[in-house]
Amino acid sequence: MDIKIQQIEQSKIDSVDFDNLNFGRTFSDHMFVCDYVDGQWVNPEIKPYGPLLFEPSARVFHYGQAVFEGMKAYKDDNDDIFLFRPDENFNRINLSAERLAMPSVPENVFFEGLKKLLNIDKDWIKKGLGNSLYIRPFIIATEGAIAASPAEAYKFIIICSPAQSYYAGEVRVIFSQKYSRSADGGVGYAKAAGNYAAQFYPTSLAHKEGYQQIIWTDANTHEYLEEAGTMNIFFRVGDKLITTPTNDRILDGVTRKSIIQLAKDNNIEVEVRKVSVSEIKEAARLGELKEIFGSGTAAVINPIKGFKHKDTTFELPNIENSYASLFKEKLLNIQYNKSEDQYNWRVKI
Ligand code: COI
């Protein structure tokens, strides 16, 4: 594939304080853009990161025809650059696109565009555990037409943002009693932009109560815990690790499936099954609930310090040798090329 390259004249990298990054606010010098017109992906281009021009009638603005992915690039001590299980993101963006009646992105467009972009902006990937370049591939419907039907023109774009941690402080959650993130037969499993927008209002209510996130429950009964919206969730009850199964409401997280594999290979008993609110409250009451943590590309593995449900509030104990820190260390060591990777998850660019 021939990618047209238009490089910036002056990099803005020197103006960035890489030790004090707010997640998703700073972008690297370039972006990759490819158009879908007349049934074909055309005009692949790397150009300076900056505004794009769209008609106000572009369908993405009216019907939310937009899907995205989250990935990270890591640099090791030798300046080699790695991705983590990128095939999973490639497959998932196309699964999401199919659900939103959007065209799939071909493998060469996705990977050649991504690799070229990372090579051009490689100085934006900082070394050191915890530093990474967050990669946001996305597809949007650009055709100017407001009939409520799928667009005929799209853009596939990749932008990159240097990242450290996603959550600035401790995370406490509310188990949802009223609002839902997704429903059976809906788009919960897709990384559809609207899934995230729909969470903002209930999450802002949680913020007012001093909680950072909501753990979504099933839409029918609000009795089963599902995911945290930016993260899949895990519970440690005694020494057992429990996580909810993925289905058409829950995102099939790459970090989630990696943790399940790591747990099995480290002789930790894992149960993938429905988890009820009452079970977790009871385990908390009996002192058996040792940990809750979330997993995701942006958040990596984030311990949840406490939860609220109806009148119950609960603080998780601080424990030594937590599963959250064990899995985080193992994952980061693979991602940053600090340990053997028996799974071939790490892909060198
Ligand atoms: C990710 O973890 O990459 C995500 O896509 C979550 C996002 C809302 C920050």
Side-chain angles (χ1 to χ4, degrees):
M1 184 177 66
D2 260 349
I3 303 178
K4 184 174 154 200
I5 297 181
Q6 188 198 335
Q7 296 233 30
I8 47 144
E9 281 164 20
Q10 176 73 48
S11 172
K12 55 185 188 253
I13 198 163
D14 290 340
S15 66
V16 175
D17 178 358
F18 283 88
D19 295 324
N20 289 296
L21 294 165
N22 273 339
F23 184 87
R25 304 265 170 165
T26 306
F27 294 93
S28 68
D29 287 325
H30 297 91
M31 60 186 178
F32 173 75
V33 183
C34 190
D35 297 320
Y36 183 83
V37 194
D38 295 333
Q40 309 241 37
W41 287 99
V42 292
N43 311 326
E45 188 182 7
I46 287 180
K47 58 206 275 190
Y49 174 89
L52 293 165
L53 207 56
F54 298 109
E55 287 199 36
S57 53
R59 277 175 155 119
V60 62
F61 299 135
H62 302 272
Y63 306 118
Q65 237 194 329
V67 296
F68 71 94
E69 267 308 314
M71 311 169 70
K72 279 178 176 169
Y74 312 89
K75 201 178 253 181
D76 73 0
D77 294 338
N78 302 321
D79 283 338
D80 286 328
I81 298 168
F82 299 92
L83 295 169
F84 183 71
R85 309 187 76 175
D87 286 345
E88 296 281 341
N89 303 94
F90 168 68
N91 292 334
R92 195 171 58 187
I93 200 168
N94 284 334
L95 197 71
S96 302
E98 180 187 37
R99 181 62 182 83
L100 280 265
M102 303 167 88
S104 57
V105 175
E107 198 165 348
N108 66 328
V109 172
F110 188 92
F111 283 106
E112 288 179 35
L114 177 58
K115 286 180 186 170
K116 183 74 86 203
L117 179 63
L118 290 178
N119 276 316
I120 290 180
D121 279 352
K122 61 178 179 297
D123 292 347
W124 289 80
I125 312 169
K126 295 297 174 194
K127 289 184 205 172
L129 280 190
N131 292 323
S132 64
L133 190 65
Y134 184 79
I135 303 163
R136 174 52 62 87
F138 60 107
I139 315 172
I140 49 171
T142 50
E143 186 195 8
I146 54 169
S149 55
E152 290 190 353
Y154 297 85
K155 275 188 194 296
F156 170 61
I157 304 173
I158 308 177
I159 55 177
C160 298
S161 174
Q164 293 170 306
S165 55
Y166 186 76
Y167 290 104
E170 295 188 333
V171 177
R172 289 180 175 73
V173 297
I174 292 184
F175 294 167
S176 180
Q177 275 176 261
K178 175 178 177 189
Y179 295 101
S180 300
R181 177 184 170 274
S182 58
D184 292 343
V187 295
Y189 70 90
K191 271 186 101 67
N195 280 343
Y196 295 78
Q199 299 183 83
F200 294 163
Y201 174 66
T203 307
S204 73
L205 298 180
H207 286 168
K208 285 193 188 133
E209 287 191 63
Y211 293 84
Q212 288 66 41
Q213 274 286 311
I214 293 177
I215 294 191
W216 300 100
T217 46
D218 69 291
N220 298 331
T221 65
H222 293 293
E223 180 49 28
Y224 291 96
L225 295 156
E226 301 216 309
E227 69 159 276
T230 60
M231 302 185 283
N232 293 112
I233 42 163
F234 287 85
F235 303 89
R236 174 178 175 182
V237 177
D239 282 337
K240 201 185 292 172
L241 189 67
I242 310 172
T243 192
T244 53
T246 53
N247 53 31
D248 59 358
R249 300 184 305 273
I250 301 181
L251 191 85
D252 184 12
V254 181
T255 314
R256 173 189 173 279
K257 64 174 73 160
S258 307
I259 292 171
I260 294 172
Q261 183 71 53
L262 287 171
K264 287 181 179 159
D265 293 347
N266 284 275
N267 299 319
I268 292 172
E269 191 185 344
V270 198
E271 284 181 3
V272 180
R273 60 162 171 83
K274 287 167 83 173
V275 183
S276 70
V277 174
S278 44
E279 168 188 359
I280 293 303
K281 283 170 78 172
E282 182 63 1
R285 198 181 61 77
L286 296 172
E288 290 169 356
L289 180 67
K290 305 287 183 214
E291 291 178 65
I292 305 179
F293 58 88
S295 69
T297 298
V300 192
I301 292 178
N302 213 101
I304 290 170
K305 295 297 297 174
F307 70 80
K308 177 176 179 217
H309 181 254
K310 298 189 179 157
D311 307 337
T312 309
T313 57
F314 185 76
E315 279 289 303
L316 272 296
N318 282 327
I319 54 169
E320 282 181 16
N321 303 322
S322 70
Y323 285 173
S325 49
L326 172 83
F327 295 132
K328 187 166 179 179
E329 189 188 338
K330 291 205 176 287
L331 264 185
L332 293 182
N333 283 343
I334 294 177
Q335 291 167 337
Y336 289 81
N337 192 24
K338 284 186 177 297
S339 67
E340 281 302 305
D341 173 17
Q342 64 180 108
Y343 310 104
N344 291 324
W345 288 340
R346 190 168 56 218
V347 174
K348 189 170 163 185
I349 290 295

